[in-house]
Amino acid sequence: MPSPAPHDRPPLAFGGDYNPEQWPPEVWAEDVRLMREAGVTTVSLGVFSWARMEPRPGAYDWEWLDTVIGLLHEAGISVNLGTPTVVPPAWFYRAHPDALPVTREGVRLSFGSRGAICHSNPEYRAAAATITRALAERYGSHPAVVLWHVHNEYGAPVLACYCDTCATAFRGWLRDRHGTLDALNEAWGTAFWGQQYGDWEEITPPRATPSVCNPTQQLDYRRFADAQARANFVAERDILHRLSPGVPVTTNFMVAPSQGQTVDYWAWAKEVDLVTNDHYLMTDGRRTHVNLALAADLTRSVAGGGPWLLLEHATSGVNWQPYNPAKRPGEMARNSLGHVARGSEGAMFFQWRQSRSGAEKFHTAMLAHAGTDNRGWREVTELGRRVADLGLAGLHGTRTRGDVAMVWSWDSWWAQSLEWRPSQDLDARERLDSFYEALYDRHLTVDFLPPTGLGDLDPARYPLLVVPQLYAAPVGVGADLERYVARGGTLLVSFFSGIVDENDTLHPGAYPGALRDVLGLTVEEFDPLLPGETVGVRRVGGGGESESYEADLWSEVVVPGDGCEVVAVFAEGRTAGGAALTRHAVGSGAAWYLATRLTGADLAAVVDLALADAGIAPGDLPRDVELVVREGESGTFRFYVNHTGGEVKVVLPDGSRAAVPAGGVEVFRDPR
């Protein structure tokens, strides 16, 4: 196999994290031989290797890394080279114990895991820059290095530190954000409970307090912690750009809300050259393949609809959940190709060879403890062939076609998750998952959008826009949505949206604040339901069983305005007779509002009403069979992903029929 041209990434990446430092040198050549057998094109290297690269301060050991990169390059395997700054060596912490993070309760965490970092610490920042510079000077022009991988999974397991160094940095960040103390006091609402600040030095991180700490102080601290980590990424990225020009720089995101809440990926996506993502199936009782589709759609959206790369997922079970079942035959390929269908330029795993020691020794890998005479290895090599075939067919560079749009905001999720809301069970992620699942079951692909710039959204491109929950709505979002609807868009908004601005301050006037005009209604009062309490919802004019729904968690007193049609009412309880579902005609479009929580088939029935209003027909496929389309100059590719236990017949655009086997994936290319 010939070596690739310098800095020439393979069309589609296939491989995983490689940690040769865990193995003796005689294993390395065998690893590379087996990688070739499996069709591996790319490996991530060096992510956790700082202690091996720099065993003593300023003393570097490159011989092992030279050897490994040389073996990979000779075999035609490209390298995604990591800066190992997620785990500084023990000698660093011995010299700089204050680089370890401090919790809200004042406890300094210890070395012995990963990601134990105060991102404001100057010694850490200097050391990270030094090791990054040394790596770039040695390997920045190596022909095998096609991608740089900074750090690892920012925010896992900890992002925020509450030490005195962070307190000083926080005050500087606040000066930049708010300008003056008067503006900060106004933004934080410090007149409440007498919390006014008269000097910047009086401000501390939101450490443990006797009662609920100021919510906007907490929200700003989340933003600050995210910004500090992002600044460290940018510092390393800029070193790599300077010393390794032309080689893109990334860091592995964890975009799925099921896997973290600490990072605002809309902001981070602007800083990376290539969006990459890690995704693992969550065994929490939900349909795992729906969560996978959501994560892939959201990652693609963070990437602006362009190319992205699945940098980590698992061949089978992981090790860090309470229960870690193995994947069933064919499930690994189904997962991998599901990500590819939704825009990934390949499928990478953690990791290549399964570890024998350490915290993740039971985490599965491409090459398991059992070796190569097993189902897992056979499925890995078969997947390698399929990914290579898709690359040769021209899939690289095509884009996934979205059908509808959905608004998601990490910033709003942070704000809503703070204490003392009308119900402690309010959960923006649950609403996101539920609305997404309803659209998924109608075989529609979702593009996600931040809550900014929505006034420019083209209704012809996205006839339906869903807002599953947007508690914190920026000033101007209501006018943006009104413009979208007036030009023919259909808007579907769920309860507890539009309530506060970016400072967690209520928008003036009645609820739902920023969305009052576009929805054509006001909410006089929230009336959340108690655990186990339900309330019936009845379609106006209906009488049959299909016209009634069961709601829980939430109700409210809705007052429709002129032109706002009541579609369904609360049938019982304290809000009986009041509007539960409304439709407001605006220009040539309509805005729907659901004032309670529906789930399952009941929520899907409301989604169907909005889809019909938008003129969107659901896909004609069985449940749990996906059709996702990628298209571009090289053609149109149709991915059919069958999560069922039976073969499915599908009809292709030319009228022919094709079979998709049980648990299988078939990709068809439209005739040109």
Side-chain angles (χ1 to χ4, degrees):
M1 180 185 299
S3 296
H7 311 310
D8 182 21
R9 284 211 315 274
L12 294 179
F14 181 69
D17 281 60
Y18 184 35
N19 298 286
E21 65 272 23
Q22 298 179 16
W23 304 94
E26 55 267 25
V27 174
W28 300 346
E30 175 70 0
D31 276 331
V32 172
R33 183 186 69 78
L34 290 173
M35 287 178 190
R36 287 168 58 100
E37 182 179 322
V40 168
T41 64
T42 310
V43 297
S44 300
L45 188 64
V47 176
F48 300 106
S49 305
W50 195 341
R52 182 68 185 268
M53 294 176 184
E54 190 180 8
R56 297 181 309 282
Y60 298 106
D61 177 7
W62 302 122
E63 183 178 358
W64 69 279
L65 193 54
D66 289 347
T67 300
V68 171
I69 292 178
L71 288 170
L72 292 167
H73 180 50
E74 185 178 347
I77 298 170
S78 298
V79 172
N80 168 31
L81 188 55
T83 69
T85 51
V86 67
V87 183
W91 58 255
F92 171 81
Y93 286 118
R94 182 181 181 189
H96 307 289
D98 55 348
L100 290 162
V102 175
T103 68
R104 284 189 71 183
E105 294 73 25
V107 176
R108 190 176 294 279
L109 301 178
S110 296
F111 175 72
S113 178
R114 66 172 193 176
I117 293 164
C118 167
H119 282 282
S120 301
N121 183 267
E123 287 78 22
Y124 168 75
R125 290 184 164 196
T130 298
I131 188 65
T132 299
R133 189 177 303 110
L135 269 170
E137 288 173 347
R138 188 164 189 90
Y139 301 108
S141 60
H142 196 291
V145 177
V146 299
L147 184 66
W148 285 100
H149 177 328
V150 170
H151 205 269
N152 183 73
E153 294 182 340
Y154 281 95
V158 62
L159 189 74
C161 170
Y162 296 81
C163 71
D164 288 340
T165 300
C166 285
T168 300
F170 183 43
R171 288 189 283 268
W173 184 87
L174 290 171
R175 286 190 185 94
D176 291 338
R177 179 174 177 82
H178 296 288
T180 66
L181 272 175
D182 287 345
L184 179 139
N185 281 311
E186 178 68 20
W188 285 13
T190 57
F192 185 80
W193 280 359
Q195 297 173 352
Q196 293 96 331
Y197 294 99
D199 191 289
W200 290 104
E201 295 302 312
E202 295 167 1
I203 301 172
T204 65
R207 294 165 175 152
T209 52
S211 183
V212 173
C213 185
N214 183 300
T216 314
Q217 181 183 4
Q218 294 188 67
L219 181 57
D220 265 355
Y221 204 75
R222 280 181 176 261
R223 293 165 174 156
F224 159 76
D226 182 47
Q228 289 295 94
R230 193 161 63 249
N232 284 348
F233 166 79
V234 168
E236 292 188 45
R237 179 205 66 192
D238 289 350
I239 292 170
L240 296 169
H241 278 171
R242 185 173 68 254
L243 297 176
S244 185
V247 181
V249 181
T250 190
T251 185
N252 46 340
F253 292 174
M254 293 181 295
V255 171
S258 57
Q259 294 178 210
Q261 190 184 4
T262 58
V263 172
D264 182 353
Y265 288 111
W266 294 121
W268 280 76
K270 298 174 184 176
E271 304 296 349
V272 298
D273 299 323
L274 172 69
V275 167
T276 63
N277 192 51
D278 297 352
H279 182 264
Y280 294 97
L281 300 184
M282 306 301 291
T283 53
D284 58 0
R286 310 187 194 205
R287 295 160 72 197
T288 55
H289 56 280
V290 181
N291 175 270
L292 183 154
L294 186 157
D297 281 349
L298 186 51
T299 305
R300 180 185 69 255
S301 302
V302 163
W308 63 278
L309 177 61
L310 175 67
L311 204 55
E312 286 185 25
H313 72 309
T315 54
S316 190
V318 297
N319 69 295
W320 39 264
Q321 298 184 83
Y323 307 97
N324 299 289
K327 292 184 178 180
R328 301 300 182 256
E331 188 175 4
M332 178 193 67
R334 203 161 63 245
N335 292 164
S336 302
L337 296 175
H339 284 286
V340 172
R342 295 176 187 272
S344 176
E345 298 285 71
M348 303 274 286
F349 294 90
F350 182 85
Q351 56 182 322
W352 161 252
R353 181 184 283 272
Q354 193 170 8
S355 300
R356 291 187 57 211
S357 59
E360 294 186 284
K361 55 183 170 288
F362 295 114
H363 191 300
T364 56
M366 299 176 76
L367 180 60
H369 296 311
T372 59
D373 187 16
N374 56 78
R375 173 178 66 85
W377 176 254
R378 288 187 287 273
E379 289 194 6
V380 164
T381 56
E382 172 59 25
L383 178 61
R385 285 190 288 271
R386 294 199 70 178
V387 171
D389 288 345
L390 288 170
L392 292 172
L395 185 72
H396 173 70
T398 60
R399 293 193 169 210
T400 301
R401 180 199 300 166
D403 302 304
V404 297
M406 186 178 289
V407 174
W408 176 249
S409 167
W410 279 275
D411 199 70
S412 178
W413 189 22
W414 294 344
Q416 184 176 323
S417 300
L418 296 171
E419 307 97 332
W420 286 12
R421 302 311 181 205
S423 169
Q424 69 174 12
D425 294 330
L426 283 164
D427 184 349
R429 180 200 155 192
E430 182 276 330
R431 288 290 80 192
L432 171 74
D433 288 346
S434 294
F435 276 91
Y436 183 90
E437 187 168 10
L439 294 167
Y440 175 94
D441 283 340
R442 272 112 192 98
H443 310 288
L444 298 170
T445 301
V446 178
D447 286 343
F448 289 90
L449 302 168
T452 54
L454 297 174
D456 297 326
L457 193 63
D458 183 1
R461 176 67 186 87
Y462 296 114
L464 177 64
L465 175 63
V466 178
V467 181
Q469 207 148 69
L470 185 66
Y471 164 71
V475 174
V477 71
D480 283 348
L481 291 174
E482 193 164 7
R483 182 173 176 225
Y484 161 77
V485 175
R487 291 185 292 119
T490 300
L491 175 68
L492 175 57
V493 177
S494 182
F495 63 92
F496 209 53
S497 295
I499 307 302
V500 300
D501 65 14
E502 64 274 14
N503 291 318
D504 198 36
T505 297
L506 290 168
H507 287 286
Y511 309 130
L515 305 185
R516 202 167 48 234
D517 292 342
V518 67
L519 297 175
L521 54 80
T522 60
V523 174
E524 287 189 350
E525 189 175 18
F526 300 141
D527 192 13
L529 306 179
L530 300 177
E533 188 178 6
T534 61
V535 62
V537 173
R538 177 176 52 82
R539 286 280 301 279
V540 173
E545 184 178 346
S546 63
E547 301 295 330
S548 298
Y549 318 124
E550 184 177 77
D552 67 358
L553 179 70
W554 191 264
S555 67
E556 54 192 33
V557 179
V558 176
V559 180
D562 293 340
C564 184
E565 173 192 0
V566 177
V567 180
V569 297
F570 291 106
E572 58 199 20
R574 297 178 293 274
T575 54
L581 177 66
T582 62
R583 179 185 184 275
H584 182 220
V586 180
S588 55
W592 293 73
Y593 181 61
L594 180 59
T596 189
R597 185 170 79 170
L598 301 178
T599 56
D602 289 344
L603 178 61
V606 171
V607 170
D608 283 340
L609 292 173
L611 287 170
D613 210 8
I616 299 174
D620 184 19
L621 286 169
R623 190 174 192 256
D624 290 328
V625 177
E626 302 177 26
L627 167 59
V628 186
V629 178
R630 286 184 62 159
E631 55 193 358
E633 293 183 1
S634 59
T636 298
F637 298 81
R638 299 178 185 274
F639 285 74
Y640 288 90
V641 185
N642 183 2
H643 299 281
T644 76
E647 181 182 271
V648 173
K649 298 287 188 180
V650 298
V651 180
L652 301 179
D654 62 3
S656 63
R657 295 174 64 84
V660 183
V665 180
E666 294 293 338
V667 185
F668 301 99
R669 186 174 183 176
D670 286 4
R672 303 188 69 176

